[in-house]
Amino acid sequence: MDLKPVRTRFAPSPTGRMHLGSARSALYPFLLARRTGGTFILRIEDTDVKRTVPGAEQELIEGLRWLGINYDEGPDIGGPCGPYRQTERREIYHTHAWKLVELGRAFPCFCTAERLDKVRQEQMANKQNPRYDGACRALDPEDARRRVAAGEKYVIRFKMPKEGSIQSADLLRGPITTDNAALDDTVLLKSDGLPTYHLAAMVDDHLMGITHVIRGSEWLPSMPLHVHVIRAFGWDEPQFVHLSVFLKPSGKGKMSKREAAEAIKDGHSIFVSDMKDLGYTPEGVLNWIALMGWGVSEGDVLTLDDMIARFDINNLTPSPAAINFAKLDHFNGAHIRALRTDDLAARLKPYFLREHLTVDDPTLTRIIPLIRERLVTLDDCLPFAAWFFRATVQPKPEELVAKGLTAAQSADVARKALEILSALPEINPATAEPPLRALVERLGLGPNQVFGILRAAVTGQTVSPPLFESMEIVGKEKVLERVKKAIEILEKM
Ligand code: GLU
C-alpha cells in the first residue's frame, strides 16, 4: 500500500443514534490516516436541517472518544480548514454553486414543487424514471439572475451533459462507466439556501484536502454525479472507497429499526452508546466492527495499535457483512482477558457501583483473577461477584440442601465442614481444600454435594468463582458465620 500521508474524514449527518455502521465509517479512514502518518478529520454534515436530531452530534463525539477514534481537526477542536460544521459554511456553498452557474455547469431553477410533482406523476404513468424535465435549463442566464435578484424562490441544479459518459472509480470495485443520459439535473443548492450533500461534500472534500473519501455504499450510485461536480470545478477527484453494507444476523436484508431495538433484550445492540452500558469494551467493539469488511490474514484479536500497524486499504472487501453478535462476544471476552488487572478493576468498578454496592479496591483486585476468564461482558462481574461486596448473603434454603441428601443430612455435612474450617488458622485453598476433600471421601459423598452446600452458604448462590479462593477473600470469620447460619436454616427445614 502507498504510505504517503493521507487526509481522510468521517462526515456523519447528526440525524440519529451512532450505530456500528457509523463507527466503522469512522474507523477505516482513521486507521488509514494513522497508518500513513496522515490527518483524520471530523466534519458534521448537518445541512438537512429537518432531519437533524438535537444531541446527535454530541453522541457522535462521545462515541468516537469512547472508541478511541481521535480526530485531528473537528467542530469542537477546530483546525486549519474550519468551520467543520456544514451549516456554518453556508456562504462557501453559495459561492461555489454560483461559480458553477457562471461556468455554465449549473442553472437556477424556479420550478414549483407542484409542477415537479405533476411531471413526476406523468413520467411514472409513462413508465419512465422520474427525473427533472429540464424546464429551466434553457432560461436566459441574465433573465434568471434578474428573477433571483427580485427575490423569486429558486434552487440551483447541476447541468448534466445530455450526451457522453463519465468514468468514475471505486478503489474496491474498479472503474465504473455511466452514460450521462442516465443522470439527472440534481439539485445542488436548495431553496433554503443550504446545499445538498452532492455539493457540500464535494466542496468540503476539496477545500479540506481530502485524499481518500471512505463512505457507505449507499453513495456509490451518486459517485458519477460527484465526479461530474468535482471536474466541473476543475478539481481532481479523491480516491473513493465505498464500504460494504451490514446485513441483519440472518444475512437477509438490512436490520430494521424494530429489530435493532429488539436486539437489546438479548443484551446486544447496534448502537455504540448502548454497547457501553451492556458491558462491552471499546476494544471489543472496535475489533468486531474492524473485521466486518476488512480481511486480516493472521490472528483476529487486534488492539487499535495492531489495526493501525496492519491496516491496508487493499484488504477491504466490498461484500456485505452479516452482523454476528457471537463474534462481538468473542472479541469482547478476548480483550477483557488481555487487560491488566488494575485496568480491568477500574472498568468493573462502575458496574458494582451502579448496583449501589460499596467496593473496596483491594478486594476488587483480588477477585479479578477469579472471574476474568468467565467475563464475556464487563457487567458479567455482577452475577459472579456482586456478593463479595454484600455484608451478608441470603442463600435460598432449598439451595443449601445437597442433591441426594435431606436437609438434616445436609446440616450434618455442614456441621462437619464447620468443625474442620474452625480449626484452621486461616482459610485458603492450601489449608482448606485437602481436609474438606478428605471429608468428602470419609462421608462417601460427591465433591459437588459437600462443596455445593458450602458454596451456597458462603456465597449465597449456586454459581460462583472457585470456592476456596472465594472463601479466602471473604475471610475466616465471615465464612464461619455464614456456615453457622446455613446450619440454622437447614435445621429449621
Ligand atoms: N453525511 C453523509 C452520511 O452521513 C456522509 C457520507 C460521506 O462520508 O461522505 O451518510
Side-chain angles (χ1 to χ4, degrees):
M1 187 180 71
D2 184 359
L3 290 181
K4 219 163 68 219
V6 301
R7 279 178 70 85
T8 57
R9 86 300 191 275
F10 171 44
S13 299
T15 52
R17 300 190 60 195
M18 184 181 187
H19 51 74
L20 54 109
S22 359
R24 193 188 56 174
S25 292
L27 177 62
Y28 290 163
F30 165 81
L31 291 176
L32 184 62
R34 293 292 171 266
R35 173 88 175 95
T36 60
T39 307
F40 174 61
I41 295 167
L42 172 64
R43 181 173 77 220
I44 298 294
E45 301 206 325
D46 56 349
T47 60
D48 195 344
V49 193
K50 282 197 292 297
R51 290 184 59 225
T52 296
V53 172
E57 178 182 323
Q58 198 48 34
E59 182 175 326
L60 283 158
I61 289 177
E62 277 162 22
L64 293 174
R65 194 172 300 141
W66 182 69
L67 289 167
I69 302 178
N70 303 319
Y71 42 90
D72 309 302
E73 300 172 23
D76 53 336
I77 55 172
C81 303
Y84 295 92
R85 206 176 278 116
Q86 287 186 328
T87 47
E88 294 166 21
R89 300 170 65 79
R90 190 185 272 261
E91 278 310 306
I92 298 175
Y93 309 123
H94 190 265
T95 312
H96 278 84
W98 278 100
K99 177 95 199 280
L100 286 185
V101 176
E102 261 162 50
L103 292 168
R105 304 302 306 274
F107 59 95
C109 165
F110 303 93
C111 295
T112 60
E114 295 75 53
R115 197 188 88 75
L116 293 174
D117 201 43
K118 206 169 133 243
V119 171
R120 197 171 15 238
Q121 300 292 347
E122 281 169 13
Q123 288 169 334
M124 274 159 48
N126 294 334
K127 304 226 163 5
Q128 291 167 333
N129 280 339
R131 59 189 299 161
Y132 184 62
D133 67 350
C136 293
R137 248 178 105 111
L139 292 179
D140 173 63
E142 282 318 306
D143 263 0
R145 271 180 199 282
R146 265 193 295 277
R147 287 171 71 177
V148 168
E152 201 171 324
K153 228 175 161 180
Y154 72 101
V155 301
I156 290 181
R157 290 180 181 273
F158 189 70
K159 198 180 225 169
M160 186 58 71
K162 293 243 181 257
E163 273 143 33
S165 61
I166 184 131
Q167 209 178 61
S168 51
D170 170 88
L171 224 75
L172 310 183
R173 296 165 176 86
I176 301 167
T177 305
T178 314
D179 285 339
N180 293 334
L183 301 170
D184 205 354
D185 293 339
T186 308
V187 174
L188 301 180
L189 195 73
K190 297 177 287 180
S191 58
D192 63 2
L194 280 167
T196 58
Y197 171 79
H198 310 297
L199 177 68
M202 298 318 113
V203 167
D204 286 349
D205 285 338
H206 174 74
L207 296 180
M208 295 180 181
I210 301 302
T211 57
H212 293 69
V213 168
I214 301 178
R215 60 184 184 181
S217 59
E218 67 273 25
W219 296 111
L220 190 59
S222 320
M223 183 171 56
L225 164 68
H226 295 162
V227 171
H228 266 298
V229 171
I230 293 166
R231 291 187 192 162
F233 281 114
W235 303 331
D236 289 332
E237 60 260 24
Q239 302 271 10
F240 283 106
V241 178
H242 293 89
L243 300 174
S244 60
V245 291
F246 286 136
L247 301 177
K248 60 175 125 185
S250 65
K252 295 194 189 89
K254 288 224 237 174
M255 204 138 176
S256 70
K257 275 216 168 109
R258 190 183 51 80
E259 287 163 325
E262 284 281 307
I264 204 154
K265 293 197 189 128
D266 303 323
H268 291 129
S269 178
I270 61 164
F271 299 111
V272 174
S273 61
D274 288 347
M275 292 191 210
K276 181 178 170 189
D277 293 337
L278 292 168
Y280 289 99
T281 59
E283 290 89 341
V285 173
L286 279 175
N287 202 155
W288 182 50
I289 56 174
L291 299 191
M292 282 195 261
W294 171 31
V296 188
S297 46
E298 353 96 59
D300 62 353
V301 176
L302 307 174
T303 63
L304 202 49
D305 284 341
D306 299 332
M307 291 180 207
I308 292 170
R310 293 194 208 169
F311 189 72
D312 186 339
I313 206 165
N314 300 312
N315 292 342
L316 296 182
T317 126
S319 30
I323 296 170
N324 181 339
F325 289 118
K327 281 201 180 160
L328 171 60
D329 288 345
H330 161 75
F331 289 126
N332 205 58
H335 283 283
I336 287 178
R337 287 193 289 281
L339 291 176
R340 285 200 327 267
T341 299
D342 57 340
D343 188 355
L344 182 53
R347 298 199 206 199
L348 294 182
K349 196 169 174 177
Y351 293 91
F352 292 116
L353 297 179
R354 199 167 80 178
E355 297 295 306
H356 308 292
L357 295 163
T358 310
V359 177
D360 77 281
D361 294 328
T363 302
L364 178 56
T365 307
R366 294 173 74 194
I367 291 169
I368 302 259
L370 308 187
I371 62 172
R372 184 200 297 273
E373 294 295 318
R374 298 172 163 214
L375 302 180
V376 172
T377 52
L378 293 170
D379 61 348
D380 284 345
C381 65
L382 294 172
F384 289 129
W387 64 272
F388 277 108
F389 302 110
R390 298 206 172 99
T392 57
V393 295
Q394 253 88 44
K396 292 202 187 86
E398 64 276 17
E399 289 178 356
L400 290 166
V401 180
K403 246 207 188 109
L405 299 185
T406 63
Q409 287 167 324
S410 301
D412 198 43
V413 173
R415 266 192 297 272
K416 293 199 164 78
L418 178 65
E419 214 172 291
I420 292 169
L421 290 168
S422 312
L424 298 173
E426 59 182 271
I427 297 178
N428 61 45
T431 60
E433 190 165 357
L436 286 171
R437 287 213 179 265
L439 176 69
V440 170
E441 289 287 312
R442 206 165 72 232
L443 298 176
L445 294 171
N448 288 345
Q449 291 174 297
V450 175
F451 299 158
I453 298 170
L454 290 176
R455 184 186 307 280
V458 174
T459 72
Q461 50 195 52
T462 53
V463 180
S464 79
L467 177 62
F468 300 106
E469 281 83 350
S470 299
M471 288 207 238
E472 180 178 10
I473 292 172
V474 172
K476 181 174 169 181
E477 194 185 327
K478 274 197 185 159
V479 169
L480 299 185
E481 198 180 285
R482 289 179 186 184
V483 177
K484 279 182 207 157
K485 176 138 169 265
I487 295 169
E488 277 168 33
I489 296 172
L490 284 164
E491 282 170 344
K492 280 196 209 123
M493 285 178 80

